[in-house]
Each structure stands twice: as structure tokens, then as C-alpha cells.
Amino acid sequence: MKVLLFFGLVAAALADVTRFEGEKVLRLKPVLAEHVTLIRDLAESIEVDFWSPDSPELVTIDIDVDIRVPARYLSIVYTTLGQSSMAHEILIEDVQVAINRQADNGISPKELHSYTKYNTWDTILSWINSIASSNPSLVSKQVIGNTFEGRPMTLLKLGKSSGTTKPSIFLDCGIHAREWISPAFCQWFVKEALETYGSDSQMTSLLDQMDVYVLPVINIDGYEYSHTTNRMWRKTRSKLSGSSCLGADPNRNFDAGWCTVGASSNPCSETFCGSTPESEIEVKHVADFIRKNKSSIKAYLTIHSYSQLLLFPYSYSYNLAADHSELMSVAQGASAALTSLYGTRYTSGPGASTIYLAAGGSDDWAYDLGVKYSYTFELRDTGYHGFLLPESQIKPTCEETMLAVKYIAAHVQKNLY
């Protein structure tokens, strides 16, 4: 009887996990106004998950559109595309197969932390505690608040202890739950910083003269949900009174042109801006910490995926930032440093003109607060794997990204303000 009960519980748990058999990711190539209208109409009539851009409102002529289409809607989509003469290609033949193939770096127990695996939140939290306790001269930690579901948002501070407040860089990852390569990079950065301190002159100088705050995962609740229940989950997991849809897009929830462009006021949208600026408790905790320490924070780096871009303000407006020329020069230098390792090509520029208008982003907010060197990374790849980047690409992705981050850090260190 106990055995039957056990298998019954396992079956029930498995039944709650979202599956994606037969689903495809298509790249659409709109070149006419009619194509743009068709894509938007399609999004209204059927369930379509926009990967890039991340909402139908952002679809424009001559910008490729990557969408995940549930199997039950494929025939409708193919018929519609055939009638429209819009060019398209299949990026991912079967989403569930791609999900299954992500873990291609061998099998290891989930509870064991690895820098070349996509670790669960519990494993990351254990790693945070371990890395801080084993490196007391270079690492300290603090909880800046709890998530909506009560998980601690633990921030690591890397740097040689000093009796005075040092200038600092704030680095965060995992603002969108399904972008797993992002938290993987924050963990990699900590590893590299600690392993090379004392032998790499640039890293040693950086941690001697500055502090680096690292928040390994902002959207912890969403990240955990993407591991346990729905691999494609993007938003937070907050509950809004009067709506059955959960969560908001934390990168539309900062008070930077909030909910004006490229964001939705619909709680069911993937780009829901939230009920008010900083309505998402995770966003508020990050914003409060940066506001409290804004006199010392000289750079803000936030890590996303995918598209291979290095972006800087503004995204909520086509207006150029006051420091546009310097920000562009640094971005281009960082991109060149990144490319030098494996030949991976990045595009640099302001968010609005480089990809699309989007209000409420953390980089724009940080810049408007006074953090001059504010950058958003969109890591590998350009769509072939999208959010399902295989684990075998974690190491090369992190290695090349380290070169770009170190380039920016070196510039900041030499140009304190």
C-alpha cells in the first residue's frame, strides 16, 4: 500500500511539470507592414511565447522574430505563414528534446555544485554560504531582503577588506527566470575572481582597490519554478489581487520610463510591468540597496540572454545618454575583448536603437540614478539554442564574458568619478 501511495505521489508531481513535446521555435522574418500585423494578430488569437523580441508589441519590419509555438497551434501557424509569404525557419525542432539535451555535460547529483552545470537554487545557496565562509579575507555576504515566496536574496561582496568604503561595481544575474546561462556566469565570475586574485594583476588590483557586489540570482522564485515546474517561466511569482495570472517582468518594473513603451499593463503578459514601479519585492530590494550605496557604486552590470549584445542606456527612449560616446567606446572595447577568445561576435549600442524600445529596465534606472557605467549583457547565442543553451557552452560563454567584464572594470577603475 505504501509503495502504491509513493508512486501515486510521484505521478502527481510529474503531472504538474509542464512538458513541451512537439513544440517548435520559429524565426519569422517580417519585411512588410502586413507581416507585422499578422504576427500581432496571431499572438492575440493563439498562445505564442515570444522569445525575441519578448512581446508582440515590439515586432517591427526587418527585425527577426523568434516564437515558441505549442504543438496544437502549429498547423494554424504554418497555414497563416504560407498564406502571407513571410519567410521563416525552424530554430528548434522540438522544445522538449532541446530541454532534455541541455544537460550535456554529464550526469552529476543535483545537490553537488558545478561551474559547468545549471545549478538549482538550493545548490547555489549552499555554494554562496560555502564560498563566503571559505574565503573570509575576500568575501562577505549579506541578505538584502527576501523574495515574494520568502527566499533570502544573498549578496556577495568581493574585495580586500578595508577600513574605508571603496568604490564598487554591482553585478547581478537571473532577472529573467528562464535565462539559466545568466546565473551560471555570476557563479563563474566569483570563482575566477577568487582563483586569480594574487596571480592575475588586473583582478588583484581590482579587488584591492574596489569591491564587486555579486547578486547570483535576482528572480529566485522564478528561477526555482523554471527548474521544478515550467522551464519556460520568465517572470516573478508574485500574486496580484484580482488576477489569476502570476508574476511581473522584473526588468520592466524599475522606475525608468515605467510602463510607457515595450511593456504591458496586462498581468497575464510576459512583459507585465507590475502594478507600480518596484511593486516586485525583488526589484525593490535591489533598488533600495543601490540607492543606499549609490555614492560608492560606479558601475552596474546586469547579465541576460540571449542575442549576443552589449547594451547601455537608453532603452525607454531613443534619446542618447549624456555619456553616450564614452559608453559606446567602452562597450566596443569590451566586445572586442570578448571576441578575441572564441570569435563570438557581439553588437554594441543603446538598447532602444540596437534592439527595441523597452521601459522599466534596471540599466536605465541605474544610469538615471547616477551610476555612469551601466551595461546589459545578452549572452550566447543568437537563437539556435536560445534560452536552452547546452551546458557544454557554459564554460566558453563565461570565459569570453569574463574578458568583457574585466575590460569594463579596468576602465571604471581608471575613470572613477
mmCIF file of all heavy atoms in Angstrom, residues 19 90 162 166 169 187 202 263 283 350:
data_model
loop_
_atom_site.group_PDB
_atom_site.id
_atom_site.type_symbol
_atom_site.label_atom_id
_atom_site.label_comp_id
_atom_site.label_asym_id
_atom_site.label_seq_id
_atom_site.Cartn_x
_atom_site.Cartn_y
_atom_site.Cartn_z
ATOM 1 N N ARG A 19 5.273 20.146 -19.928
ATOM 2 C CA ARG A 19 6.015 19.450 -20.982
ATOM 3 C C ARG A 19 5.871 20.217 -22.296
ATOM 4 O O ARG A 19 4.903 20.952 -22.503
ATOM 5 C CB ARG A 19 5.477 18.019 -21.154
ATOM 6 C CG ARG A 19 5.500 17.184 -19.898
ATOM 7 C CD ARG A 19 6.897 16.714 -19.535
ATOM 8 N NE ARG A 19 7.452 15.830 -20.558
ATOM 9 C CZ ARG A 19 8.681 15.304 -20.481
ATOM 10 N NH1 ARG A 19 9.476 15.585 -19.473
ATOM 11 N NH2 ARG A 19 9.129 14.503 -21.433
ATOM 12 N N ILE A 90 12.901 27.113 -38.976
ATOM 13 C CA ILE A 90 12.765 26.429 -37.692
ATOM 14 C C ILE A 90 14.106 26.511 -36.960
ATOM 15 O O ILE A 90 15.129 26.057 -37.470
ATOM 16 C CB ILE A 90 12.353 24.960 -37.880
ATOM 17 C CG1 ILE A 90 10.991 24.872 -38.569
ATOM 18 C CG2 ILE A 90 12.317 24.243 -36.527
ATOM 19 C CD1 ILE A 90 10.586 23.446 -38.935
ATOM 20 N N SER A 162 38.884 46.589 3.882
ATOM 21 C CA SER A 162 39.442 47.928 4.021
ATOM 22 C C SER A 162 38.693 48.652 5.126
ATOM 23 O O SER A 162 37.507 48.411 5.353
ATOM 24 C CB SER A 162 39.312 48.698 2.703
ATOM 25 O OG SER A 162 39.634 50.057 2.875
ATOM 26 N N LYS A 166 35.117 51.567 -0.214
ATOM 27 C CA LYS A 166 35.792 51.591 -1.512
ATOM 28 C C LYS A 166 34.779 51.801 -2.633
ATOM 29 O O LYS A 166 33.605 51.452 -2.483
ATOM 30 C CB LYS A 166 36.536 50.260 -1.742
ATOM 31 C CG LYS A 166 37.661 49.999 -0.757
ATOM 32 C CD LYS A 166 38.539 48.838 -1.216
ATOM 33 C CE LYS A 166 37.799 47.520 -1.215
ATOM 34 N NZ LYS A 166 38.663 46.386 -1.613
ATOM 35 N N ILE A 169 31.473 47.976 -7.889
ATOM 36 C CA ILE A 169 30.720 47.576 -9.076
ATOM 37 C C ILE A 169 29.618 46.639 -8.601
ATOM 38 O O ILE A 169 29.850 45.778 -7.752
ATOM 39 C CB ILE A 169 31.631 46.855 -10.081
ATOM 40 C CG1 ILE A 169 32.681 47.819 -10.646
ATOM 41 C CG2 ILE A 169 30.819 46.226 -11.225
ATOM 42 C CD1 ILE A 169 33.775 47.134 -11.465
ATOM 43 N N GLN A 187 28.166 32.958 -10.963
ATOM 44 C CA GLN A 187 28.938 31.986 -10.184
ATOM 45 C C GLN A 187 30.356 31.864 -10.738
ATOM 46 O O GLN A 187 31.331 31.780 -9.993
ATOM 47 C CB GLN A 187 28.223 30.631 -10.209
ATOM 48 C CG GLN A 187 26.877 30.644 -9.498
ATOM 49 C CD GLN A 187 26.024 29.460 -9.880
ATOM 50 O OE1 GLN A 187 26.324 28.328 -9.532
ATOM 51 N NE2 GLN A 187 24.944 29.708 -10.622
ATOM 52 N N GLN A 202 45.469 42.278 -12.956
ATOM 53 C CA GLN A 202 44.284 43.115 -13.105
ATOM 54 C C GLN A 202 43.235 42.781 -12.042
ATOM 55 O O GLN A 202 42.669 43.680 -11.405
ATOM 56 C CB GLN A 202 43.672 42.955 -14.501
ATOM 57 C CG GLN A 202 42.483 43.887 -14.710
ATOM 58 C CD GLN A 202 41.757 43.625 -16.021
ATOM 59 O OE1 GLN A 202 42.306 43.010 -16.932
ATOM 60 N NE2 GLN A 202 40.521 44.080 -16.120
ATOM 61 N N ALA A 263 6.330 47.566 -22.744
ATOM 62 C CA ALA A 263 5.893 46.863 -21.538
ATOM 63 C C ALA A 263 4.371 46.804 -21.574
ATOM 64 O O ALA A 263 3.719 47.577 -22.268
ATOM 65 C CB ALA A 263 6.374 47.575 -20.281
ATOM 66 N N VAL A 283 12.745 43.503 -6.976
ATOM 67 C CA VAL A 283 13.209 44.739 -7.602
ATOM 68 C C VAL A 283 13.434 45.814 -6.544
ATOM 69 O O VAL A 283 14.449 46.533 -6.559
ATOM 70 C CB VAL A 283 12.196 45.211 -8.660
ATOM 71 C CG1 VAL A 283 12.517 46.631 -9.132
ATOM 72 C CG2 VAL A 283 12.171 44.250 -9.846
ATOM 73 N N PRO A 350 23.036 51.528 -27.710
ATOM 74 C CA PRO A 350 21.922 51.827 -26.808
ATOM 75 C C PRO A 350 20.787 50.824 -27.032
ATOM 76 O O PRO A 350 20.546 50.407 -28.173
ATOM 77 C CB PRO A 350 21.495 53.235 -27.207
ATOM 78 C CG PRO A 350 22.599 53.773 -28.048
ATOM 79 C CD PRO A 350 23.261 52.600 -28.689
#
